[in-house]
């Protein structure tokens, strides 16, 4: 409730509303109540008047009397306080009725009179009995009350004053009284009134409903109103929520009418709503997590995830306040009056049939929606987006930040690597949409090509040689030398040094290239081209091992003559080839290190660079050749024998 000093409505209406009031009766009436209460004294008991006797019996009686008196005083004070509160409430009621009761009956009487003339002093009316009354001109000049029409019958009230032979009457007081009667009736019956916004004040606006009424800002609408200045001069419907005629205070509300209408609409709407139903609404408010839609009495939540099949940053990208749209009811809780709405569900789900539309291996154009440290999200169409992992963005082996390859909003070519509509996921690749530079480079260096590159990295099993940027091959330790066994690659390779090698194998699936250094000067390959199995060759025994003799057939070319191929063993005589002693052996049967012998090639393995030799087979073949030659020379002699041929051979030596 507003005070007389603070309320702007009171300042305009309170003073003129009670010009005929006299404060004296009010003061006397209010003074009587507390005075009556203060004059009331507690009833004194007989014991309290007893004389102070020194006897024990007298002392006990005196103590009881004092206790009873104290209790009676307390009860009397409580009764006085209650009576004072009741008197105050009664006084408030008396003050509300004071306007009609404090005047003399004659002065409070309302008369019907007829307007007979206008003068500079006011409006002259006929009040009967050949008596004329005067409505002072001040009632019209100082207020907005229009002058009544000539000959019109109006209501006036006596003031008890006379001037220049006229009985002074008031037209304004009657109008005000009738206005307050209507307002009081409207307040009791909760009747809707129509008023005009006439002023903007702190906390709300002033509405003219016959008197200046205060409309708080919070009571204007169901939602906060940012600009009350735009309401000036508008006619609005309001309902009185507080009325104090004595103080001239009237508080009205427009929101009460709207809430009542909304409640009625909500009850009707709750009976009609159902899940799966499409309804029309108006966007009421947009938040970070969605939008609230007014369905005509009840608000439903349109969540961010149900606005669109595609990715959106903020709900305002799709809907705006006061926008009308159709939505579908996803969930409806009638008891809690909660409604969940969907907008995207009104259109077809793009993932239905996506596997047929975007099969694995297909190449398409997409739009980059977002870039993260591990890749980029690319949209194939609204609602279908996939991840291009950082490893699938470039053929280069060096890791590159995705933000340096693509930008948001950029259109790129992608290839579908894998698609799972049930999980609403699709894996994409960008590098697969471009020619593979590795394969292009591999075509430049087919198997057998001699290449030169720099040592990029050294590992325990060899070294990686960079032939071109992004294209390198491995030289295994076994392909470094034909004769030396490499245990530590760091003894052969230095990082950054040039190396010449031959392309041995290309594995396109695993993107691997095998190189060989020893194959650049392939003396073994040349030797294999010139010799065949069964051929007799000359070789020098280079060293003797427990299992046979190594024979040097050419520069850096060795063959092995196993013990079983050196000589035929006889029982009890192995020629010293069965020894198990340690240290270098001086001979292997008839074979001695440093000497040359004839050997027969019995096996060749070009891939493993191995040659198997036989000394005894060579000896036998030579003997057969000599015998055949001898026989051809002695055809004329019928007595020649094989013994003669052997003797001739020994003699020739």
């Amino acid at each position: 409730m507003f005070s007389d000093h603070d309320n702007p409505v009171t300042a305009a209406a309170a003073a003129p509303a009670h010009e005929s009031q006299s404060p004296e009766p009010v003061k006397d009436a209010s003074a009587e109540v507390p005075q009556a209460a203060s004059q009331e004294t507690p009833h004194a008991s007989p014991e309290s008047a007893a004389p102070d006797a020194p006897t024990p019996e007298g002392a006990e009686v005196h103590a009881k009397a004092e206790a009873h008196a104290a209790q009676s005083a307390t009860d009397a004070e409580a009764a006085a306080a209650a009576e004072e509160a009741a008197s105050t409430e009664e006084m408030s009621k008396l003050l509300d009725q004071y306007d009609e009761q404090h005047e003399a009956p004659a002065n409070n009487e309302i008369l019907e009179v007829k307007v007979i003339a206008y003068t500079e002093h006011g409006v002259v009316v006929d009040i009967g009995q050949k008596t004329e009354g005067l409505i002072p001109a001040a009632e019209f000049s100082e207020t907005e009350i229009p002058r009544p029409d000539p000959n019109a019958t109006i209501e006036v009230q006596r003031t008890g004053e006379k001037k220049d032979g006229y009985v002074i009457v008031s037209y304004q007081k009657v109008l005000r009284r009738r206005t307050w009667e209507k307002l009081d009736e409207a307040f009791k019956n909760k009747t809707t009134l129509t008023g005009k916004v006439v002023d903007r004040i702190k906390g709300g606006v002033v509405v003219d409903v016959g008197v200046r009424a205060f409309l708080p800002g919070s009571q204007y609408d169901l939602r906060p109103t940012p600009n009350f200045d735009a309401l000036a001069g508008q006619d609005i419907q309001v309902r009185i929520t507080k009325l104090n005629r004595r103080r001239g205070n009237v508080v009205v509300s427009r929101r009460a009418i709207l809430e009542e209408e909304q409640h009625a609409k909500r009850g009707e709407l709750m009976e009609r709503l159902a899940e799966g139903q499409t309804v029309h609404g108006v966007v009421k408010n947009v938040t970070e997590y969605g939008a609230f839609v007014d369905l005509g009495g009840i608000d439903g939540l349109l969540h961010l995830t149900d606005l669109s099949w595609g990715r959106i940053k903020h709900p305002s990208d799709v809907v705006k306040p006061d926008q009308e749209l159709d939505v579908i009811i996803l969930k409806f809780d009638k008891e809690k009056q909660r409604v969940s709405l969907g907008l995207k569900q009104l259109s077809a789900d793009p993932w239905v049939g996506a596997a047929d539309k975007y099969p694995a291996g297909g190449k398409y154009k997409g739009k980059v929606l977002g870039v993260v440290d591990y890749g980029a999200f690319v949209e194939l169409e609204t609602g279908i987006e996939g991840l291009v992992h950082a490893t699938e963005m470039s053929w280069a082996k060096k890791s590159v930040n995705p933000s340096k390859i693509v930008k948001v909003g950029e259109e790129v070519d992608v290839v579908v690597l894998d698609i799972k509509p049930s999980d609403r996921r699709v894996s994409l690749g960008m590098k697969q949409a471009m020619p593979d530079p590795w394969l292009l480079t591999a075509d430049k260096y087919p198997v057998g090509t001699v290449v030169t590159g720099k040592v990029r990295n050294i590992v325990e099993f060899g070294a990686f040689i960079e032939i071109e940027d992004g294209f390198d091959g491995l030289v295994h330790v076994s392909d470094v030398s034909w004769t030396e066994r490499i245990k530590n690659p760091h003894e052969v390779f230095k990082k950054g040094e040039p190396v010449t090698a031959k392309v041995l194998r290309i594995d396109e699936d695993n993107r691997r290239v095998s190189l060989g250094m020893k194959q650049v000067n392939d003396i073994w390959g040349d030797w294999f081209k010139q010799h065949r199995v069964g051929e007799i060759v000359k070789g020098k025994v280079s060293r003797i091992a427990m299992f046979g003799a190594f024979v040097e057939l050419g520069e850096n070319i060795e063959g092995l003559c196993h013990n079983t191929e050196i000589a035929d063993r006889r029982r009890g005589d192995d020629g010293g080839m069965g020894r198990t002693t340690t240290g270098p052996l001086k001979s292997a049967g008839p074979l001695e290190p440093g000497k040359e012998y004839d050997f027969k090639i019995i096996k060749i393995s070009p891939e493993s660079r191995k040659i198997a030799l036989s000394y005894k087979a060579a000896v036998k073949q030579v003997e057969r050749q000599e015998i055949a030659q001898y026989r051809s020379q002695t055809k004329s002699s019928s007595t020649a024998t094989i013994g003669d041929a052997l003797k001739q051979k020994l003699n020739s030596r």
Side-chain angles (χ1 to χ4, degrees):
M1 186 174 292
F2 302 90
S3 65
D4 294 339
H5 299 287
D6 297 335
N7 191 347
V9 179
T10 305
H18 305 288
E19 292 178 352
S20 61
Q21 295 180 4
S22 174
E24 294 300 324
V26 178
K27 184 181 297 184
D28 295 343
S30 61
E32 288 176 2
V33 176
Q35 184 177 0
S38 62
Q39 289 175 352
E40 183 178 352
T41 56
H43 180 70
S45 62
E47 290 81 2
S48 62
D52 296 334
T55 61
E57 294 80 1
E60 182 179 357
V61 172
H62 183 69
K64 290 182 179 180
E66 287 183 350
H68 183 72
Q71 181 64 36
S72 299
T74 302
D75 294 342
E77 289 177 1
E83 185 175 353
E84 182 177 357
S87 299
T88 302
E89 183 178 357
E90 183 66 24
M91 179 58 64
S92 178
K93 294 180 180 179
L94 292 174
L95 290 175
D96 290 339
Q97 302 172 0
Y98 180 69
D99 285 342
E100 289 80 10
Q101 295 180 354
H102 82 287
E103 295 182 357
N107 293 339
N108 198 31
E109 182 183 3
I110 296 177
L111 305 174
E112 284 192 0
V113 298
K114 185 177 181 180
V115 177
I116 57 177
Y118 292 154
T119 68
E120 61 179 352
H121 300 291
V123 178
V124 180
V125 296
D126 182 7
I127 61 176
Q129 299 179 354
K130 298 181 180 182
T131 304
E132 293 180 345
L134 178 65
I135 304 175
E139 289 198 5
F140 304 102
S141 62
E142 296 177 359
T143 64
E144 297 180 358
I145 299 175
R147 289 188 178 189
D149 297 332
N151 299 321
T153 300
I154 61 174
E155 290 182 327
V156 296
Q157 178 177 320
R158 294 178 181 270
T159 64
E161 299 179 8
K162 292 184 179 182
K163 183 177 181 182
D164 299 333
Y166 293 105
V167 176
I168 304 302
V169 294
S170 174
Y171 179 49
Q172 183 185 28
K173 285 186 177 182
V174 176
L175 292 179
R176 183 175 290 111
R177 177 182 291 188
R178 296 304 186 202
T179 298
W180 280 101
E181 288 175 356
K182 292 179 181 179
L183 295 178
D184 187 60
E185 182 179 0
F187 175 58
K188 293 178 181 178
N189 298 330
K190 297 183 179 180
T191 305
T192 300
L193 303 175
T194 300
K196 178 179 288 187
V197 179
V198 295
D199 197 5
R200 169 76 167 94
I201 60 175
K202 183 178 180 180
V205 294
V206 176
V207 182
D208 185 1
V209 291
V211 298
R212 290 169 62 89
F214 177 55
L215 173 61
S218 61
Q219 295 299 313
Y220 176 75
D221 203 349
L222 298 174
R223 292 180 293 174
T225 303
N227 184 16
F228 287 101
D229 295 332
L231 301 177
Q234 293 186 16
D235 290 333
I236 59 175
Q237 289 187 326
V238 294
R239 185 170 295 169
I240 300 175
T241 57
K242 293 182 181 180
L243 186 145
N244 190 321
R245 183 174 178 180
R246 179 174 61 84
R247 294 187 175 183
N249 289 345
V250 179
V251 180
V252 295
S253 171
R254 178 175 173 268
R255 178 173 179 170
I257 302 174
L258 299 178
E259 287 179 344
E260 187 175 292
E261 294 175 352
Q262 185 186 56
H263 183 72
K265 290 180 180 178
R266 180 176 296 175
E268 180 183 353
L269 186 63
M270 294 292 287
E271 299 298 327
R272 294 189 287 107
L273 294 181
E275 293 184 1
Q277 180 181 3
T278 301
V279 293
H280 189 76
V282 180
V283 178
K284 191 173 181 180
N285 189 24
V286 179
T287 64
E288 293 288 337
Y289 53 87
F292 289 95
V293 180
D294 184 2
L295 304 178
I298 187 171
D299 292 344
L301 174 61
L302 181 58
H303 197 268
L304 174 67
T305 56
D306 294 311
L307 279 168
S308 173
W309 291 111
R311 177 187 296 196
I312 56 176
K313 294 181 179 180
H314 193 273
S316 59
D317 295 338
V318 181
V319 295
K320 305 292 182 184
D322 299 326
Q323 177 183 346
E324 295 187 11
L325 74 170
D326 290 330
V327 290
I328 187 172
I329 299 177
L330 303 179
K331 292 182 180 179
F332 175 46
D333 190 334
K334 189 174 182 180
E335 295 182 358
K336 297 181 180 180
Q337 296 187 358
R338 292 181 180 176
V339 184
S340 297
L341 305 174
L343 180 63
K344 71 179 185 182
Q345 288 79 3
L346 294 177
S347 58
D349 187 351
W351 282 98
V352 176
D356 297 331
K357 190 174 182 180
Y358 302 102
K363 180 180 177 181
Y364 307 95
K365 284 190 177 295
K367 183 180 180 181
V368 179
L369 296 181
V371 180
V372 292
D373 293 339
Y374 52 86
F377 291 95
V378 177
E379 182 184 58
L380 298 178
E381 67 172 77
T382 302
I384 298 182
E385 64 179 64
L387 173 66
V388 180
H389 197 270
T391 57
E392 305 296 339
M393 300 185 78
S394 173
W395 289 111
K397 290 186 176 181
K398 297 179 180 178
S399 59
V400 182
N401 193 308
S403 61
K404 295 183 179 180
I405 301 177
V406 295
K407 303 295 181 184
V408 175
E410 181 181 353
E411 193 175 69
V412 295
D413 291 326
V414 293
V415 171
V416 176
L417 304 180
D418 184 32
I419 184 168
K420 295 181 179 179
S422 58
D423 298 335
R424 309 177 81 85
R425 294 179 60 183
V426 56
S427 298
L428 305 173
M430 286 175 54
K431 67 182 184 181
Q432 290 79 0
M434 301 179 289
D436 188 349
W438 194 92
L439 295 179
L440 296 177
T441 307
D443 292 339
K444 293 169 56 178
Y445 304 103
V447 174
T449 305
V450 176
V451 297
T452 300
K454 292 183 178 181
V455 178
R456 183 177 63 84
N457 191 22
I458 302 173
V459 292
E460 61 181 1
F461 48 84
F464 287 95
I465 311 301
E466 186 177 44
I467 302 171
E468 288 187 11
D469 185 20
F471 187 83
D472 53 23
L474 172 67
V475 177
H476 196 270
V477 290
S478 61
D479 291 314
V480 174
S481 174
W482 292 112
T483 56
E484 295 183 24
R485 185 177 181 182
I486 310 300
K487 295 183 178 180
N488 185 4
H490 289 275
E491 296 177 355
V492 180
F493 300 102
K494 300 296 180 183
K495 197 169 183 179
E497 286 187 352
V499 171
T500 300
K502 180 181 286 188
V503 178
L504 304 180
R505 288 176 298 278
I506 295 179
D507 186 351
E508 295 182 357
D509 294 335
N510 296 316
R511 306 173 71 83
R512 293 176 181 175
V513 178
S514 297
L515 302 176
M517 292 173 59
K518 67 182 183 181
Q519 289 82 358
V520 174
N521 297 318
D522 194 1
I523 56 177
W524 286 84
D526 296 336
W527 194 92
F528 288 140
K529 291 178 182 179
Q530 298 172 7
H531 299 84
R532 297 290 182 270
V533 174
E535 183 180 346
I536 301 296
V537 294
K538 284 189 175 291
K540 182 190 293 186
V541 177
S542 58
R543 63 186 186 277
I544 303 298
M546 295 297 296
F547 48 83
F550 287 95
V551 180
E552 184 179 345
L553 301 176
E555 185 178 359
N556 295 326
I557 296 178
E558 281 187 339
L560 174 64
C561 183
H562 198 269
N563 288 335
T564 58
E565 298 296 336
I566 294 177
D568 291 329
R569 296 181 183 180
R570 295 179 180 178
R571 184 174 298 177
D573 182 15
D574 58 3
M577 294 184 292
R579 294 176 299 171
T580 58
T581 58
T582 60
L585 301 178
K586 295 182 179 180
S587 65
L591 303 180
E592 295 181 6
K595 291 186 178 181
E596 254 187 14
Y597 301 93
D598 288 333
F599 295 92
K600 184 177 182 179
I601 301 174
I602 60 175
K603 187 177 181 182
I604 292 177
S605 299
E607 294 180 356
S608 59
R609 299 299 196 262
K610 291 182 179 180
I611 303 171
L613 303 174
S614 175
Y615 171 74
K616 69 180 182 180
V619 170
K620 289 180 180 180
Q621 184 169 333
V622 170
E623 288 178 351
R624 285 194 297 268
Q625 289 176 354
E626 291 178 349
I627 292 173
Q629 183 179 3
Y630 176 77
R631 284 180 176 177
S632 64
Q633 293 176 355
T634 58
K635 286 182 179 180
S636 58
S637 176
S638 59
T639 59
T641 62
I642 295 176
D644 296 333
L646 292 176
K647 289 179 181 180
Q648 184 178 358
K649 181 179 179 182
L650 293 174
N651 293 331
S652 63
R653 293 180 181 177

